[in-house]
Amino acid sequence: MSELAKDSRERQAGARVERYGLADMKPLALALRRHWLLAIGAAALIGPTLYGVASQSWITEQGAHGPIVLATALWLFWRRWSEVRALARPGDTRIALAAFLIVAPIYIVARIINIIEVEGFMMYGLLLVTAYWLIGWPPLRAMWFPIVYMLFIFPPPDTVVAMVTQPLKIGISQAAIDLLYGLGYPIAGSGVMIVIGQYQLLIAAACAGLNSLISLSAIGLFYIYIRHNANWRYALLLMLAIVPVAILANFTRVLALILITHYLGDEAAQGFLHGFSGMTMFLFSVLGIFAVDAAASPLRHRLARRSNPA
């Protein structure tokens, strides 16, 4: 057999391996039929909590990425399951029961007192415990990325939001004041309150960078995984690069809003241009991640060679 024919057959075999279809869902359908009572319980667990997350978080600017992450994460699970289902073995019932007894009470308390941030994560924890009991640890370990990626659909706790956004808000506000004051603008401020000319602005959490950090982290990780299937070291490097990119983008957004307020008035800054500036800065942030990835290509190749010395 010629080398050309051999390469052609190998490519065709690879294409067959990479093809995914509804037939890959047949084992899942059989499992749901076999554990129908468990499936009903999982649906009763997921439905109310996911509705609460969607109604309280996904309708806000900070959580608008949630539906996109949910859809792409489910696709990733479907894609990876066809590759790892041969590893499925029932997990240790004792470990699953112990984990359930720890997570379930926290979920119930959070559900009763309506702490949606804790409720969402605990609901997800119960699903992972159930998955471990059904298919064991090896498939879950192989699907580590979709599991981690799915966490982005849940809102972070308010205490974390306050702890992270307050320094960002103050730092971005002060940097914008210093820059514009140095350029001769009539601007002053204290904390997150900015006064320019006759107008006052309050830098909110949406402008402080946390929503961009979360959304960009989710999109960046998805991009890294799909495009490169990179190892965790390179993924961590890109994650760290997201932080300065998001902060720079939000600093630019705050500058734009201050200048819009100064030249066009408060109504212009708080109306359509406010949302438009957010979308524009988010787009430039995503492009910034792509640029960082392109610049870090030599490092990615070096890490790949180190992981696969052969």
Side-chain angles (χ1 to χ4, degrees):
M1 182 185 298
S2 67
E3 290 295 327
L4 182 60
K6 183 178 179 181
D7 290 343
S8 176
R9 296 191 61 178
E10 287 179 353
R11 284 194 298 269
Q12 292 175 0
R16 287 194 295 270
V17 171
E18 293 296 328
R19 186 180 295 124
Y20 304 98
L22 294 178
D24 296 316
M25 302 300 293
K26 186 176 180 180
L28 177 60
L30 294 175
L32 292 176
R33 185 182 305 173
R34 186 166 58 251
H35 301 285
W36 62 270
L37 187 59
L38 185 62
I40 294 174
L45 182 74
I46 295 171
T49 298
L50 202 58
Y51 174 78
V53 171
S55 60
Q56 297 183 39
S57 174
W58 293 358
I59 61 174
T60 66
E61 184 177 353
Q62 290 87 343
H65 61 276
I68 299 174
V69 172
L70 176 62
T72 51
L74 291 176
W75 176 77
L76 286 174
F77 276 116
W78 170 59
R79 183 174 183 266
R80 287 292 289 148
W81 173 247
S82 63
E83 302 169 359
V84 304
R85 64 187 181 192
L87 303 174
R89 302 289 186 276
D92 192 324
T93 303
R94 294 169 298 178
I95 296 177
L97 181 60
F100 183 86
L101 292 176
I102 294 173
V103 177
I106 303 175
Y107 169 79
I108 294 172
V109 172
R111 177 71 181 164
I112 292 173
I113 62 180
N114 194 28
I115 305 178
I116 193 63
E117 298 88 354
V118 177
E119 179 186 342
F121 287 110
M122 292 303 103
M123 180 272 289
Y124 189 49
L126 289 174
L127 292 179
L128 291 179
V129 170
T130 304
Y132 165 78
W133 180 64
L134 290 174
I135 64 176
W137 173 247
L140 294 181
R141 182 175 58 188
M143 292 191 293
W144 69 269
F145 180 82
I147 291 174
V148 173
Y149 179 65
M150 182 71 85
L151 292 173
F152 285 97
I153 72 171
F154 303 110
D158 289 338
T159 53
V160 175
V161 173
M163 182 176 62
V164 174
T165 58
Q166 193 63 20
L168 281 176
K169 287 191 292 185
I170 294 175
I172 289 175
S173 301
Q174 191 59 50
I177 292 171
D178 293 341
L179 176 60
L180 293 177
Y181 181 79
L183 294 176
Y185 284 88
I187 187 171
S190 176
V192 296
M193 181 64 69
I194 297 176
V195 179
I196 182 165
Q198 59 181 325
Y199 301 106
Q200 289 186 349
L201 293 86
L202 180 65
I203 304 302
C207 300
L210 181 64
N211 58 313
S212 293
L213 285 175
I214 296 174
S215 302
L216 285 172
S217 297
I219 293 176
L221 283 176
F222 183 77
Y223 165 78
I224 296 165
Y225 185 78
I226 293 299
R227 180 170 173 79
H228 304 299
N229 197 20
N231 60 41
W232 65 269
R233 294 180 181 87
Y234 186 72
L236 180 60
L237 172 67
L238 268 272
M239 275 287 294
L240 294 176
I242 288 170
V243 176
V245 169
I247 292 176
L248 179 61
N250 281 272
F251 172 70
T252 307
R253 181 186 184 186
V254 171
L255 282 178
L257 292 176
I258 294 174
L259 294 174
I260 290 171
T261 302
H262 180 64
Y263 288 110
L264 301 179
D266 185 65
E267 292 185 3
Q270 299 304 319
F272 169 77
L273 291 177
H274 184 276
F276 181 75
S277 66
M279 291 186 292
T280 303
M281 289 304 102
F282 185 80
L283 174 61
F284 279 111
S285 298
V286 173
L287 294 177
I289 295 175
F290 296 164
V292 171
D293 178 43
S297 293
L299 177 60
R300 184 180 68 247
H301 296 321
R302 189 181 308 168
L303 292 173
R305 288 194 299 268
R306 186 177 301 176
S307 301
N308 302 283

